[in-house]
Amino acid sequence: DAGVTQSPTHLIKTRGQHVTLRCSPISGHKSVSWYQQVLGQGPQFIFQYYEKEERGRGNFPDRFSARQFPNYSSELNVNALLLGDSALYLCASSIMGGAYEQYFGPGTRLTVT
Amino acid sequence: QKEVEQNSGPLSVPEGAIASLNCTYSDRGSQSFFWYRQYSGKSPELIMSIYSNGDKEDGRFTAQLNKASQYVSLLIRDSQPSDSATYLCAVTTGGGYNKLIFGAGTRLAVHP
């Protein structure tokens, strides 16, 4: 069975630009969460979606937004990129919302110059 | 106080030894606890989950949970060089949705 997939793998953007990252969960999983991981730190929670509804939001500015589609895939959008947005963006899939195990995709490495 | 605290390491153990990784958390409402392994340049991989007090064993891994002390640990028996990685402790918040709070991770180095 395919695991969580994310695209693109790597991305280089310039300050002020916009970026869209995409994620497809494990087949049968209905919840997707997004995390940001900077070097030397653990992942930081950005959003959780379950059944196409936002179920949680972390301490990130409004420049960050996300949505989940009817097929349970998801995209994360970041506007007005800052140098500090450079990080590994991780998508995690779980069978449903709640205290269930989350499985991470390979991540998207975003570099903002 | 950080919500999830781990010793950053590195924790260096010889091959074949037991590696002991520790984690404390601040939210008494936390109900689910996870250990992830992350190799350099890769994404976190779930290796253990534990939900109730006591021990849970899976192969060479044993997770231990003590909710009264707000303490989670991971034991790796017969450590191998391939176990060398950063181990992340993650805890769900008590808020009703599945927000994972991660520690900064402990780097484990297993030397031959």
Side-chain angles (χ1 to χ4, degrees), chain A residues 37 48 98-102 105, chain B residues 32 36 38 43 49 97-98 100 103:
Chain A
Q37 186 177 27
Q48 185 189 73
Y100 291 92
E101 297 172 342
Q102 295 188 9
Chain B
S32 303
Y36 287 82
Q38 187 171 27
S43 63
S49 59
Y97 61 88
N98 200 8
L100 281 180

Side-chain angles (χ1 to χ4, degrees), chain B residues 64-77:
Chain B
Q64 300 174 316
L65 174 61
N66 183 326
K67 289 186 178 180
S69 299
Q70 296 174 248
Y71 177 91
V72 194
S73 66
L74 179 71
L75 301 178
I76 306 175
R77 289 181 299 280

Side-chain angles (χ1 to χ4, degrees), chain A residues 18-104:
Chain A
H18 162 272
V19 67
T20 297
L21 310 180
R22 294 179 173 83
C23 170
S24 291
I26 294 168
S27 177
H29 285 197
K30 299 181 178 180
S31 182
V32 168
S33 298
W34 287 95
Y35 295 83
Q36 180 197 67
Q37 186 177 27
V38 299
L39 196 62
Q41 296 182 20
Q44 298 290 311
F45 174 77
I46 309 176
F47 288 109
Q48 185 189 73
Y49 277 79
Y50 174 57
E51 291 284 14
K52 302 180 289 295
E53 291 187 4
E54 182 183 303
R55 296 301 182 98
R57 174 184 286 254
N59 189 24
F60 280 80
D62 292 343
R63 299 184 296 107
F64 290 76
S65 63
R67 54 179 175 167
Q68 186 177 33
F69 299 100
N71 67 352
Y72 303 109
S73 68
S74 177
E75 65 180 33
L76 175 70
N77 294 283
V78 186
N79 293 323
L81 285 166
L82 303 174
L83 294 179
D85 295 330
S86 296
L88 179 66
Y89 288 84
L90 296 160
C91 171
S93 161
S94 59
I95 197 162
M96 61 178 68
Y100 291 92
E101 297 172 342
Q102 295 188 9
Y103 299 89
F104 284 92

Side-chain angles (χ1 to χ4, degrees), chain B residues 42-103:
Chain B
K42 301 295 186 181
S43 63
E45 173 192 8
L46 180 66
I47 54 173
M48 289 290 287
S49 59
I50 187 165
Y51 303 96
S52 55
N53 281 329
D55 294 359
K56 178 181 178 183
E57 185 175 321
D58 184 0
R60 295 187 296 114
F61 299 100
T62 298
Q64 300 174 316
L65 174 61
N66 183 326
K67 289 186 178 180
S69 299
Q70 296 174 248
Y71 177 91
V72 194
S73 66
L74 179 71
L75 301 178
I76 306 175
R77 289 181 299 280
D78 188 24
S79 296
Q80 301 297 310
S82 58
D83 294 325
S84 298
T86 296
Y87 289 80
L88 298 164
C89 173
V91 174
T92 54
T93 61
Y97 61 88
N98 200 8
K99 172 182 176 180
L100 281 180
I101 305 295
F102 283 84

